[in-house]
Amino acid sequence: MSDIHAIILAAGKGSRMHSSRPKVLQILSNNTLLGHVLSQAKPLCDKIHVVYGFEGKQVQQQINDSNINWVKQTEQLGAGHAVAQAMPHIEDNSISLILYGDVPLIKKATLADLIHQAQQSGLSLLSVILDNPTGYGRIIRKGEQIQAIIEQKDANNAQLNINEVNTGIMAVHSQLLKQYLSKINSSNAQGELYLTDIIACAVADGQTVSSIISKNQFEVAGVNDKVQLAELERIFQKNQATQFMQQGLGLKDPNRFDCRGAFTFGQDCEIDINTLIEGKVSLGCNTTIAPNCIIKNTKIGNYVSILSNCVIEDCVIEEGATIGPFARIRPQTHIKTHAKIGNFVEIKKSTIGENTKVSHLSYVGDAIIGKSVNIGAGVITCNYDGVNKHQTVIGDGAFIGSDSQLVAPIKIGKNATIGAGSTITKIVPDNQLSLSRTKQTSLKNWQRPTKK
Ligand code: UD1
Ligand code: CA
């Protein structure tokens, strides 16, 4: 079997993006446009050539893939010219797969079909049927046979009514491609080397032009501005949500679910509206996520309940835990089984033991908290002395009274009780009540000030 070479055209500046980043580096979900194309092409191809122009350094740095052959197109003289720049790197006895760095939703399966067809016929073109074909090159057929591609500017009225258009994506036997590229010229309205002219060359040569009609117009849609980028983002998200639901995920509204990363889940998970999943996130079975949560790079177990409006990042949450509403769980936090983190609680770089409760209005940072501990409302671990961070260790079964400050480094013993409103600066022994308060006094003859 002959080798497959992908040629990805990525030289366009994308002026309509109004961005300092080249178009192919614009982000869709959690990947660049070019990254999406690469993800589909790589598994099918032996070699990838990317034709770059504008801001090439930036593109190469961000894609950061040493297996790519980067080919410079110094001047943008048309897509035909762009492809020609890659040809010296491509052996004659191979298939060239021509792709575009700004057509991000192209599917591997479609490309596999296209390559397969080109292996049989020598040349296979991907087309699509559009309700509004304005601006695209029209596919002219005689019976089943493709005869030519006529660009919008050159089309007569009958041709303008054709709804089947050229996507520009094709697979061609490389020897044929080289032959046809050497025949085309730039004597046209734009003074460019039109890649599409190779189709006319092929037809004149008696070469069969076989074709596949894409079933999905978004699969072959290019991105030129941020309106189109947002459109494809929505399509991408909707497709992903559909796939997840087909695998058993419960989504209250797939239009209000976004996943920018790698997401896995067990059976009977339910996600309410406006959740954003980022990075690598996994859910066990029977876990529920209430509205308005952001969850990033986190492993969540079975029967976990994430209540509304939580922001959770880089942590592990074990079976049966309850989080929120309005909790912020920051990186390197480990919440163990059946722990409860309540409203307006912030936790950072801490371990919360099983069955432990931090129910209201607390800051817990750099702490190791044992099992079945109760942290009262408004408890603060004072972990920062202005220069360094220090650790708080709380033993199993401890009870920390409300509005206490634990000045770290500090150790609270097992089953210790801290009286409410205490500022704790010294080690607390096991099983004892410790408190630090000024004595309460009442002034009998005190009078409220009066307004002057
Ligand atoms: C092209 C096709 C048209 C098709 C349409 C689909 C031609 C003559 N027409 O039109 O039949 O319906 O695509 O979108 O090819 N590029 C380079 N270097 C260049 C020129 C272009 O890398 O010198 C890249 C662009 O970044 C872009 C792609 O090639 O990704 C297509 O280029 P463009 O010339 O803009 O094609 P269209 O005029 O849209
Ligand atoms: Ca106080």
Side-chain angles (χ1 to χ4, degrees):
M1 195 70 81
S2 46
D3 273 5
I4 313 295
H5 288 254
I7 306 169
I8 306 179
L9 305 193
K13 178 167 190 269
S15 333
R16 280 175 280 170
M17 286 287 172
H18 301 286
S19 168
S20 62
R21 268 177 295 138
K23 178 160 74 170
V24 294
L25 292 187
Q26 300 293 325
I27 302 292
L28 186 141
S29 180
N30 63 330
N31 201 353
T32 59
L33 297 181
L34 180 54
H36 282 280
V37 180
L38 286 167
S39 75
Q40 301 300 301
K42 268 163 97 173
L44 301 172
C45 296
D46 300 286
K47 189 77 205 165
I48 307 265
H49 311 267
V50 176
V51 182
Y52 69 96
F54 179 70
E55 287 284 351
K57 264 238 169 61
Q58 218 189 119
V59 180
Q60 287 175 43
Q61 264 169 14
Q62 179 137 0
I63 298 297
N64 189 24
D65 183 339
S66 57
N67 292 319
I68 292 174
N69 177 36
W70 296 94
V71 180
K72 181 152 190 169
Q73 186 192 24
T74 325
E75 268 185 293
Q76 321 262 277
L77 302 174
H81 178 259
V83 171
Q85 305 311 297
M87 296 320 290
H89 306 277
I90 292 172
E91 57 213 67
D92 286 0
N93 183 27
S94 68
I95 297 285
S96 291
L97 175 66
I98 301 174
L99 297 169
Y100 302 86
D102 59 357
V103 179
L105 299 190
I106 188 70
K107 288 241 160 17
K108 191 177 88 183
T110 308
L111 298 180
D113 289 349
L114 207 63
I115 290 167
H116 183 72
Q117 246 194 21
Q119 276 162 339
Q120 317 290 314
S121 71
L123 199 171
S124 180
L125 184 72
L126 185 63
S127 70
V128 66
I129 313 278
L130 296 181
D131 290 341
N132 178 9
T134 309
Y136 294 90
R138 308 299 202 279
I139 305 282
I140 313 295
R141 288 181 187 262
K142 193 166 165 195
E144 289 287 286
Q145 281 299 306
I146 292 183
Q147 291 298 301
I149 298 173
I150 305 288
E151 293 301 316
Q152 171 89 18
K153 297 182 200 73
D154 306 320
N156 63 34
N157 279 339
Q159 290 164 337
L160 288 176
N161 282 329
I162 295 171
N163 289 86
E164 188 187 1
V165 303
N166 173 33
T167 67
I169 294 169
M170 59 183 96
V172 193
H173 196 278
S174 302
Q175 198 173 12
L176 288 180
L177 182 58
K178 286 180 184 182
Q179 191 187 319
Y180 300 148
L181 281 170
S182 72
K183 287 185 186 163
I184 63 175
N185 61 58
S186 54
S187 53
N188 52 49
Q190 298 181 77
E192 289 185 350
L193 281 182
Y194 286 176
L195 179 61
T196 46
D197 284 353
I198 71 163
I199 302 300
C201 284
V203 172
D205 195 36
Q207 164 68 41
T208 307
V209 177
S210 51
S211 64
I212 289 176
I213 303 178
S214 166
K215 287 176 206 76
N216 182 334
Q217 66 174 101
F218 299 110
E219 181 187 9
V220 295
V223 176
N224 293 308
D225 58 27
K226 287 185 174 153
V227 177
Q228 291 170 337
L229 184 61
E231 262 166 25
L232 290 199
E233 175 77 35
R234 252 314 75 223
I235 299 294
F236 178 90
Q237 291 299 344
K238 194 79 187 282
N239 290 346
Q240 202 172 229
T242 303
Q243 227 175 55
F244 292 153
M245 290 186 291
Q246 281 163 347
Q247 293 161 3
L249 181 69
L251 286 178
K252 270 278 180 285
D253 181 358
N255 290 309
R256 286 180 287 172
F257 169 78
D258 287 78
C259 169
R260 303 176 194 152
F263 182 43
T264 56
F265 45 85
Q267 281 187 336
D268 297 307
C269 290
E270 296 279 343
I271 300 184
D272 213 314
I273 56 169
N274 295 336
T275 282
L276 171 58
I277 301 284
E278 285 189 271
K280 194 172 174 213
V281 172
S282 65
L283 307 183
C285 298
N286 296 284
T287 280
T288 57
I289 301 175
N292 307 323
C293 291
I294 301 176
I295 303 175
K296 188 171 179 176
N297 295 325
T298 288
K299 184 169 185 237
I300 299 178
N302 302 327
Y303 292 98
V304 170
S305 176
I306 312 282
L307 302 176
S308 65
N309 301 289
C310 290
V311 178
I312 298 172
E313 181 176 358
D314 276 314
C315 56
V316 175
I317 300 174
E318 290 185 10
E319 179 156 335
T322 303
I323 313 289
F326 297 98
R328 176 159 185 224
I329 316 295
R330 292 172 51 199
Q332 297 182 57
T333 292
H334 188 149
I335 294 173
K336 298 207 170 170
T337 55
H338 301 284
K340 177 176 183 270
I341 309 301
N343 39 206
F344 308 106
V345 171
E346 175 180 354
I347 305 207
K348 187 216 83 173
K349 204 176 179 182
S350 295
T351 299
I352 310 295
E354 48 187 281
N355 291 308
T356 285
K357 292 189 173 79
V358 189
S359 296
H360 330 267
L361 298 155
S362 284
Y363 171 69
V364 175
D366 303 293
I368 299 175
I369 303 182
K371 299 176 197 168
S372 303
V373 170
N374 189 86
I375 307 281
V379 169
I380 306 289
T381 57
C382 308
N383 60 330
Y384 186 49
D385 59 15
V387 183
N388 295 304
K389 300 280 168 70
H390 302 282
Q391 200 166 52
T392 299
V393 178
I394 302 177
D396 295 348
F399 179 98
I400 315 295
S402 294
D403 191 35
S404 291
Q405 302 92 49
L406 310 177
V407 181
I410 192 88
K411 192 162 183 279
I412 314 288
K414 287 186 182 170
N415 298 310
T417 300
I418 307 276
S422 294
T423 301
I424 300 296
T425 55
K426 291 197 289 271
I427 194 160
V428 170
D430 294 355
N431 302 313
Q432 296 183 18
L433 169 67
S434 299
L435 65 165
S436 77
R437 287 184 198 151
T438 51
K439 225 173 178 177
Q440 182 171 331
T441 52
S442 301
L443 305 181
K444 232 181 193 161
N445 299 319
W446 180 79
Q447 299 229 307
R448 276 190 182 174
T450 51
K451 195 161 183 139
K452 282 182 191 143

